[in-house]
Amino acid sequence: MRRITRITTVGIASAALALSATACGKSSSDAGSSSTSDSKAVKAAIAYDIGGRGDQSFNDAAYAGLQKAEKELGVKGAEAEPSEGESDADKVQRLTALARSGNNPVIGVGFAYAPAIEKVAKSYPKTTFGIIDDTSKTGPNIANLVFNEEQGSYLAGVAAAKTSKSHTVGFIGGVEVPLIKKFEAGFVQGVKDTDPKAKVLTQYLTQPPDFNGFSKPDLGKAAAQGQLDKGADVIYSAAGLAGSGAIEATAKAGKWAIGVDSDQYMQKGLAAYKDHILTSVTKDVQGSVFNLIKSVKDGKPQSGEVRMGLAANGVGLAASNPAYTKMTDVIAAVEKAKKDIVDGKITVKTTP
């Protein structure tokens, strides 16, 4: 695996080294029973998903939560990057290294960490493990941080349908897995409920076990160009780092892009294209990471399913682009749809 980088101090050279030596003066059994009673000693770690930090989306949102915990809670943060084509065994090594180093909680960013977290959490029963976007693996010291992505995507569908002039919009999914199908389902439903005659072009970049659809911008760029060529004038991509390629292609064509996970209008790496980022479907990954770290620091660690939807502002639609905020009819339609979902008048599908 690649180097594990500490935010505030030096990095751990590798998972293998961490597994062969004691960390912070503790044995593996000591780390498994570490206490967080001394707030000054609290350390927290996140292990990134495919694409790593700098994806301008999902991973960066998790990093923002860790940064906030460092600033507001005095927590010492650690990060671990993924390696291309890694196995579950690699993830087990990474999480074990982080736990053995005294980090609590240890958070896996993305559903791909589920099997590894299930295994490592049993070895470190007094360490809290968080996993974002997965509920398949549970345990007394596992917090499943999940969201109603379909609800936020429905709002994106409403905005896309109201904005489109060609009545053709696009959805690009990074990898065809159940999680991303939720994004597609909500988006398509929102589009169709708003404009029944609208056409939704859908494309997935890769199929599991190939997860490059979350990490290769060129794949997103090519997919977006294909949809633009077919008349799409609004394209929503849920594809991690690959989504930045879709945003680039869409912006260069002078059409509207819809971002995901983070408010991508505000991402520095996408500044050249922000005028064409209509809005973004946001997930409060930052808040979920911060809240889990705080719960551990407070001695009341979260566990089990922690779900966030529209009602709790866990998902939503960003309004950072001034051009979007001037679209009063679009804003009104989105707000009405949001109210109807929260009030139970609209039930958003989780599968297409």
Side-chain angles (χ1 to χ4, degrees):
M1 62 171 284
R2 290 189 288 195
R3 187 177 182 86
I4 297 177
T5 305
R6 291 297 303 274
I7 299 173
T8 54
T9 59
V10 295
I12 303 168
S14 68
L17 176 61
L19 288 169
S20 64
T22 58
C24 301
K26 298 177 181 178
S27 66
S28 59
S29 60
D30 290 334
S33 60
S34 61
S35 170
T36 61
S37 59
D38 181 358
S39 62
K40 294 182 180 179
V42 173
K43 298 193 294 182
I46 52 176
Y48 291 121
D49 197 9
I50 298 164
R53 179 148 71 88
D55 66 351
Q56 315 296 326
S57 183
F58 187 49
N59 289 299
D60 283 1
Y63 173 57
L66 184 62
Q67 279 189 307
K68 183 179 179 182
E70 288 185 304
K71 293 176 182 177
E72 297 185 14
L73 305 177
V75 169
K76 293 183 178 180
E79 304 168 77
E81 291 282 354
S83 56
E84 188 171 349
E86 67 182 23
S87 65
D88 284 342
D90 295 320
K91 292 182 176 66
V92 168
Q93 284 189 330
R94 181 176 306 122
L95 296 174
T96 300
L98 292 171
R100 179 172 285 185
S101 295
N103 293 290
N104 186 15
V106 174
I107 303 170
V109 184
F111 62 84
Y113 277 98
I117 280 183
E118 180 184 39
K119 183 173 183 178
V120 180
K122 292 176 181 178
S123 300
Y124 293 84
K126 293 189 178 181
T127 296
T128 293
F129 290 83
I131 180 161
I132 303 174
D133 286 347
D134 183 85
T135 58
S136 68
K137 307 299 182 183
T138 60
N141 59 328
I142 297 175
N144 305 91
L145 311 176
V146 291
F147 304 84
N148 292 114
E149 294 90 356
E150 72 282 358
Q151 294 179 349
S153 296
Y154 184 98
L155 301 185
V158 172
K162 294 289 290 184
T163 306
S164 176
K165 295 179 180 179
S166 67
H167 300 280
T168 300
V169 302
F171 172 80
I172 297 172
V175 182
E176 193 167 2
V177 293
L179 173 67
I180 307 302
K181 299 292 278 187
K182 290 174 65 181
F183 288 88
E184 177 194 353
F187 181 69
V188 172
Q189 185 180 347
V191 170
K192 292 294 186 178
D193 283 357
T194 306
D195 180 5
K197 296 182 180 180
K199 183 177 182 180
V200 183
L201 306 174
T202 298
Q203 182 174 346
Y204 284 88
L205 303 180
T206 61
Q207 299 288 326
D210 180 358
F211 287 88
N212 283 328
F214 289 135
S215 63
K216 304 291 186 182
D218 286 350
L219 294 178
K221 187 184 299 184
Q225 189 59 58
Q227 293 184 344
L228 292 164
D229 290 344
K230 294 178 181 178
D233 58 358
V234 184
I235 297 178
Y236 172 39
S237 53
L241 185 60
S244 64
I247 289 174
E248 179 184 347
T250 305
K252 286 183 175 179
K255 306 302 181 182
W256 287 117
I258 295 178
V260 75
D261 291 338
S262 297
D263 182 354
Q264 296 197 292
Y265 179 87
M266 301 298 293
Q267 295 294 321
K268 293 181 180 179
L270 296 171
Y273 316 114
K274 71 177 186 177
D275 288 345
H276 289 280
I277 299 176
L278 178 68
T279 181
S280 297
V281 175
T282 57
K283 290 167 57 173
D284 194 12
V285 175
Q286 174 182 343
S288 67
V289 168
F290 175 84
N291 290 338
L292 179 59
I293 295 171
K294 186 176 186 300
S295 75
V296 174
K297 184 177 185 295
D298 291 345
K300 299 178 180 179
Q302 293 177 332
S303 64
E305 182 176 304
V306 182
R307 180 172 293 278
M308 300 180 71
L310 275 179
N313 294 317
V315 297
L317 210 58
S320 299
N321 191 335
Y324 174 71
T325 59
K326 292 177 182 178
M327 300 176 183
T328 54
D329 59 330
V330 178
I331 296 292
V334 168
E335 288 302 314
K336 183 180 185 303
K338 178 179 179 179
K339 186 177 187 302
D340 287 346
I341 292 171
V342 172
D343 291 346
K345 294 181 181 179
I346 295 176
T347 300
V348 186
K349 299 176 182 178
T350 56
T351 56

